[in-house]
Amino acid sequence: MNGSYITFTFQNFAEEMSQIAREKELLITRGRDLIAASNELRAHDIEYKLDRLQEQYQHVHDLLNSRLKKLRQTLSAVHKLESKMAKLRTWLAGVEHKLSTPPTYEKADISEIQKQLDWQADVQRDIEQHSSAVAS
């Protein structure tokens, strides 16, 4: 994910929420003016609609904040995953390099062969230890 796009999206979200809040406040102000200029029955109806507006706004605001929180959590998880993947790629390149290097023997005796077998066992253990990271 592109970091500048995400920042832009969060900024857009904040700007849109601010705009919606201003519009809601304007509607409430106009509604209060209408209440003052209306008869009792009409004023009660307007008051009811203003209360509904406030409830709906709060509901939408809570939903959007919940989604924003989930988005931030998801982005955090993606960044952690990218970091783990980078470490895994580095480790994997090192293992590939080790495995691609042909074994060299200084002399043909059992100690040299055992040394190579021990090295191979160490590489095998390292691969097995990283297998859980690869699986996830």
Side-chain angles (χ1 to χ4, degrees):
M1 287 187 175
N2 187 338
S4 62
Y5 172 76
I6 294 166
T7 302
F8 178 72
T9 302
F10 285 138
Q11 288 173 345
N12 284 352
F13 173 79
E15 290 170 6
E16 286 181 32
M17 285 304 297
S18 179
Q19 179 63 30
I20 290 169
R22 284 191 299 273
E23 290 172 3
K24 179 198 62 124
E25 290 303 320
L26 181 62
L27 284 173
I28 289 174
T29 301
R30 289 186 178 165
R32 300 272 178 239
D33 292 344
L34 282 173
I35 289 172
S38 299
N39 63 39
E40 188 176 329
L41 182 60
R42 186 74 177 140
H44 180 68
D45 184 47
I46 294 170
E47 183 70 35
Y48 172 77
K49 289 177 181 178
L50 288 176
D51 288 343
R52 289 282 298 142
L53 171 69
Q54 183 64 31
E55 289 170 8
Q56 289 174 347
Y57 170 80
Q58 191 61 47
H59 178 70
V60 168
H61 187 267
D62 292 346
L63 284 175
L64 290 176
N65 279 333
S66 174
R67 288 182 182 172
L68 183 61
K69 181 180 176 182
K70 287 179 184 178
L71 179 60
R72 285 186 174 137
Q73 290 171 343
T74 301
L75 290 174
S76 175
V78 166
H79 289 302
K80 287 177 185 176
L81 180 61
E82 287 174 345
S83 174
K84 287 180 179 181
M85 290 296 293
K87 289 177 184 176
L88 185 58
R89 277 192 287 281
T90 301
W91 170 81
L92 188 56
V95 169
E96 287 175 343
H97 177 70
K98 284 180 187 178
L99 293 175
S100 67
T101 305
T104 55
Y105 297 93
E106 293 178 18
K107 50 187 173 176
D109 67 357
I110 192 71
S111 66
E112 274 298 308
I113 294 171
Q114 188 60 47
K115 187 171 134 182
Q116 286 296 324
L117 288 173
D118 291 343
W119 176 84
Q120 182 69 29
D122 287 342
V123 171
Q124 179 67 32
R125 275 191 295 280
D126 191 29
I127 291 170
E128 288 170 358
Q129 288 173 349
H130 283 85
S131 67
S132 64
V134 172
S136 65

